[in-house]
């Protein structure tokens, strides 16, 4: 096996299991019983070939994921009882390694002291082969995660749990198996940590319904969501689709692995799924889908649009929930009292999962007052020059604006960089990322403001680096034509970013496996 550090490619191709295509009642997850031998309850597939490169690995994974997604879609009651062999399938492990080594956390080590990016290419084959045998034979046991605290914008800290390198690989492989199955059951109004969905989709849905009379907003905040999810309740939801005891045992093993705190104390984990684990976002979505399903049932119970309109005219309240990870809002077309009543309703839905609403941060707001969500501020305001007409405006929140300004200030401190080119290499990605995220809102004036702010911060940096030069000489030598560039790198101009409304996609967002089926 070679070339596993090549970037992932998506393509087609057969997935070979146990030397041939696997079958499950004429399909593909389980083998025929006559062709299966058991050792500790694990199906033997020793003759599965390793992929030649990363592209082949991802092609084989996509093919198998598409089948899993297709079967789960075709039978909503189907429960998969033999998918453990895919967790240690060579293609899944190779794809998992590619994802682990390529993400931002690849430079960070867990309690094993091994950072994935420190593993040289010549050691990858042997490492994955040993890991595969360990998982296959049931010898693999998840290790404790290393706790690391990072500061939050409100002055508090968030605790991350950093798994070991091998735990990350197995988690990534397990996620590749579970995700196409559970994606079938997730409702369209859930957007966080799901393939081909983004925060802009959530904002677009809020804009769509707020423009149609959903003006009371229940802003929900869950207290320590990732830390307090009840393991038994979560596993019960996982069992709704998965009955393979080995997969269930492995999943629970990751939940119960424990934590090595920053002060060197080993602590057991009785609730929660650690932030920082590759599998954690999927497990959190499975847990929080109880809220999605609750409001989806209420929505569907009202029938088609004409039926909902009739219900609204009779004084009934209709509600639409939009969730991104553990942040969600419920848009209400009704009275303020209807929105306030959601306190008890949502709390009752969350309680079986061991979760509770934050009394300090959960609130009911009117759209005319506006509210912050995912870094955006959403508010109904008058349109200038349109005779009192109103519209829903979306633009960066005050915190988001302050955050990018603080970032620019930090990067343009006098001693932060040796050359202007070094400064631009750090500053440009920060500005580009911020503008890309917010370019679909009412932001043209803010982009001009940030552009102006960053430009003069750079000029100030140059003046401090060259204190003996007057302004005219500084401009002639370092800002010819008032253009900021150095060593072929130009200053990214926020004011030149195209601003366009993001198209609301509703229920039409395809999955990677939906496209593969076409």
């Amino acid at each position: 096996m070679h070339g596993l550090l090549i970037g992932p490619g998506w393509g087609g191709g057969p997935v070979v299991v146990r030397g041939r295509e696997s079958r499950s009642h004429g399909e593909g997850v389980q083998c025929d019983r006559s062709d299966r031998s058991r050792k500790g309850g694990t199906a033997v597939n020793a003759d599965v070939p390793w992929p030649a490169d990363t592209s082949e690995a991802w092609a084989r994974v996509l093919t198998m994921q598409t089948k899993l997604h297709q079967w789960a879609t075709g039978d909503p009651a189907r429960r998969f009882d033999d998918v453990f062999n895919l967790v240690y399938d060579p293609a899944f492990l190779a794809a998992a390694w590619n994802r682990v080594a390529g993400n931002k956390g690849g430079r960070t080590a867990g309690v094993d002291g091994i950072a994935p990016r420190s593993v040289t290419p010549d050691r990858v084959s042997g490492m994955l082969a040993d890991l595969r045998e360990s998982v296959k034979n049931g010898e693999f046991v998840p290790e404790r995660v290393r706790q690391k605290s990072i500061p939050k914008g409100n002055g508090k800290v968030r605790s991350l749990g950093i798994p070991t390198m091998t735990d990350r690989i197995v988690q990534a492989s397990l996620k590749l198996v579970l995700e196409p199955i559970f994606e079938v059951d997730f409702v369209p109004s859930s957007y966080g940590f799901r393939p081909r969905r983004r925060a802009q989709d959530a904002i677009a849905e809020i804009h769509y319904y707020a423009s149609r009379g959903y003006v009371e907003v229940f802003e929900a905040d869950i207290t320590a969501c990732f830390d307090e999810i009840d393991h038994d309740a979560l596993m019960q939801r996982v069992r709704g689709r998965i009955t393979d005891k080995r997969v269930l045992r492995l999943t629970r093993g990751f939940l119960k692995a424990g934590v090595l705190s920053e002060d060197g104390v080993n602590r057991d984990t009785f609730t929660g799924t650690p932030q920082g684990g590759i599998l954690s976002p999927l497990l959190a979505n499975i847990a929080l889908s109880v809220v999605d399903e609750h409001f989806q049932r209420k929505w569907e119970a009202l029938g088609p649009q004409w039926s909902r309109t009739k219900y609204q005219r009779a004084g009934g309240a209709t509600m639409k929930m939009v969730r991104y990870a553990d942040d969600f809002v419920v848009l209400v077309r009704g009275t303020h009292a209807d929105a306030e009543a959601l306190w008890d309703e949502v709390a009752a839905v969350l309680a079986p999962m061991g979760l509770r609403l934050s009394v300090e941060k959960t609130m009911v707001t009117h759209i005319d007052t506006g509210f912050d969500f995912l870094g955006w501020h959403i508010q109904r305001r008058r349109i200038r020059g349109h005779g009192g007409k109103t519209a829903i405006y979306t633009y960066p929140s005050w915190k988001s604006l302050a955050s990018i300004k603080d970032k620019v200030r930090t990067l343009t401190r006098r001693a932060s960089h040796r050359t202007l080119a070094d400064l631009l290499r750090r500053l440009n990605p920060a500005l580009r990322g911020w503008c890309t995220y917010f370019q679909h809102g009412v932001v043209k004036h803010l982009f001009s403001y940030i552009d102006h702010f960053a430009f003069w911060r750079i000029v100030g940096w140059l003046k401090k680096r060259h204190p003996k030069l007057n302004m005219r000489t500084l401009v002639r030598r370092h800002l010819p034509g008032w253009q900021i560039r150095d060593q072929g790198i130009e200053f990214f101009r926020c004011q030149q970013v195209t601003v366009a409304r993001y198209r609301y996609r509703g229920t039409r967002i395809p999955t990677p496996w939906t496209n593969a089926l076409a």
Side-chain angles (χ1 to χ4, degrees):
M1 180 181 63
H2 303 286
L4 289 178
L5 293 176
I6 301 175
W10 291 101
V15 61
V16 179
V17 180
R18 303 172 188 87
R20 58 180 181 78
E21 288 191 4
S22 60
R23 298 186 178 89
S24 172
H25 310 295
E27 298 166 338
V29 174
Q30 292 176 313
C31 282
D32 296 336
R33 297 292 174 179
S34 59
D35 290 342
R36 180 192 297 156
S37 62
R38 292 283 186 177
K39 180 179 180 181
T42 303
V44 176
N45 59 350
D47 53 349
V48 179
W50 286 94
D53 54 31
T54 305
S55 297
E56 181 186 341
W58 279 107
R60 284 163 55 176
V61 167
L62 178 60
T63 301
M64 194 68 248
Q65 285 184 320
T66 302
K67 292 180 180 180
L68 293 170
H69 189 73
Q70 185 178 38
W71 299 331
T73 303
D75 183 2
R78 179 165 183 163
R79 303 170 77 191
F80 294 78
D81 63 351
D82 193 9
V83 289
F84 184 70
N85 60 303
L86 292 177
V87 178
Y88 60 84
D89 181 272
F92 278 74
L93 287 176
W97 164 252
N98 179 253
R99 180 162 289 176
V100 167
N103 67 21
K104 291 192 299 183
R107 295 187 177 91
T108 308
V111 297
D112 58 349
I114 304 174
R117 291 194 185 181
S118 69
V119 179
T120 56
D122 60 300
R123 295 165 50 200
V124 172
S125 297
M127 180 268 295
L128 289 182
D130 292 343
L131 179 60
R132 178 174 183 267
E133 288 303 311
S134 174
V135 175
K136 175 182 171 182
N137 296 330
E139 299 169 355
F140 175 82
V141 177
E143 296 186 58
R144 295 182 182 273
V145 299
R146 180 172 70 86
Q147 187 181 57
K148 181 176 177 61
S149 298
I150 59 173
K152 296 171 65 174
N154 58 7
K156 298 181 180 180
V157 296
R158 174 185 289 111
S159 292
L160 296 182
I162 303 172
T164 64
M165 181 184 69
T166 53
D167 281 7
R168 275 182 257 185
I169 297 170
V170 177
Q171 282 192 34
S173 183
L174 182 58
K175 183 183 179 184
L176 290 172
V177 176
L178 298 181
E179 189 172 52
I181 297 172
F182 283 95
E183 265 295 315
V184 175
D185 302 326
F186 293 154
V187 303
S189 58
S190 165
Y191 294 100
F193 302 113
R194 294 181 60 188
R196 302 200 176 166
R197 290 169 173 261
R198 52 184 73 95
Q200 286 83 354
D201 287 308
I203 300 302
E205 180 161 359
I206 292 173
H207 183 277
Y208 178 86
Y209 282 100
S211 301
R212 285 159 176 76
Y214 290 75
V215 296
E216 296 289 345
V217 183
F218 181 81
E219 300 178 66
D221 186 273
I222 301 176
T223 301
C225 175
F226 280 81
D227 297 329
E228 296 190 1
I229 294 174
D230 183 90
H231 289 172
D232 291 335
L234 171 58
M235 291 305 301
Q236 187 61 36
R237 293 190 65 80
V238 174
R239 290 189 194 96
R241 276 295 194 176
I242 305 294
T243 58
D244 189 323
K245 292 182 179 180
R246 297 157 296 173
V247 171
L248 296 173
R249 189 181 305 116
L250 184 61
T251 303
R252 186 176 282 275
F254 284 121
L255 293 173
K256 298 288 188 183
V259 174
L260 175 63
S261 65
E262 290 183 291
D263 55 5
V265 178
N266 287 326
R267 296 191 176 95
D268 294 331
T269 47
F270 301 103
T271 60
T273 176
Q275 293 190 66
I278 293 175
L279 191 61
S280 292
L282 175 60
L283 295 179
N285 269 337
I286 293 172
L288 290 170
S289 59
V290 295
V291 188
D292 306 340
E293 293 164 3
H294 172 78
F295 284 99
Q296 187 71 8
R297 284 192 297 268
K298 293 182 64 173
W299 180 263
E300 293 174 350
L302 296 175
Q305 179 60 46
W306 67 266
S307 179
R308 287 197 299 273
T309 302
K310 183 178 179 181
Y311 179 75
Q312 290 163 356
R313 288 174 179 172
T318 54
M319 304 173 184
K320 190 66 177 176
M321 193 200 78
V322 179
R323 182 174 67 84
Y324 190 94
D326 58 336
D327 294 323
F328 68 91
V329 296
V330 183
L331 306 173
V332 181
R333 181 165 180 166
T335 66
H336 185 80
D338 293 324
E340 285 286 354
L342 289 173
W343 268 95
D344 293 335
E345 183 177 332
V346 173
V349 174
L350 290 173
M353 296 303 306
L355 301 174
R356 51 201 171 90
L357 291 173
S358 169
V359 177
E360 297 81 12
K361 297 181 180 179
T362 301
M363 64 189 73
V364 175
T365 310
H366 195 277
I367 196 67
D368 289 345
T369 304
F371 65 99
D372 292 349
F373 189 64
L374 303 180
W376 295 81
H377 186 75
I378 305 164
Q379 185 177 9
R380 184 167 66 182
R381 300 170 61 179
R382 289 185 178 182
I383 307 174
R384 290 182 180 178
H386 284 73
K389 290 184 178 180
T390 61
I392 304 300
Y393 283 72
T394 57
Y395 48 90
S397 67
W398 175 255
K399 287 184 178 180
S400 299
L401 184 60
S403 176
I404 188 62
K405 289 177 66 177
D406 288 343
K407 182 75 171 179
V408 172
R409 288 191 188 97
T410 300
L411 292 174
T412 52
R413 288 174 182 161
R414 177 177 180 180
S416 57
H417 307 283
R418 293 179 56 209
T419 66
L420 178 58
D422 291 337
L423 169 60
L424 295 178
R425 287 190 187 99
R426 294 286 306 281
L427 182 62
N428 281 352
L431 294 174
R432 184 181 292 109
W434 193 84
C435 291
T436 300
Y437 183 79
F438 288 109
Q439 71 179 127
H440 302 295
V442 184
V443 289
K444 197 65 180 177
H445 64 296
L446 284 178
F447 281 2
S448 295
Y449 170 73
I450 291 298
D451 184 276
H452 181 271
F453 177 79
F455 183 93
W456 286 103
R457 286 291 303 185
I458 296 173
V459 173
W461 180 86
L462 286 169
K463 290 176 68 175
K464 291 175 183 177
R465 296 285 292 183
H466 307 282
K468 296 182 180 180
L469 300 181
N470 60 35
M471 195 64 183
R472 178 174 295 181
T473 305
L474 184 74
V475 171
R476 188 181 70 252
R477 292 185 184 180
H478 301 284
L479 300 167
W482 286 96
Q483 299 296 315
I484 299 178
R485 63 169 64 91
D486 188 33
Q487 299 179 26
I489 303 174
E490 293 190 18
F491 169 53
F492 177 80
R493 304 309 301 261
C494 298
Q495 62 184 8
Q496 296 176 358
V497 175
T498 302
V499 176
R501 170 64 64 188
Y502 190 85
R503 186 183 296 273
Y504 171 52
R505 298 191 287 170
T507 60
R508 303 182 301 276
I509 303 176
T511 69
W513 317 290
T514 304
N515 289 351
L517 289 170

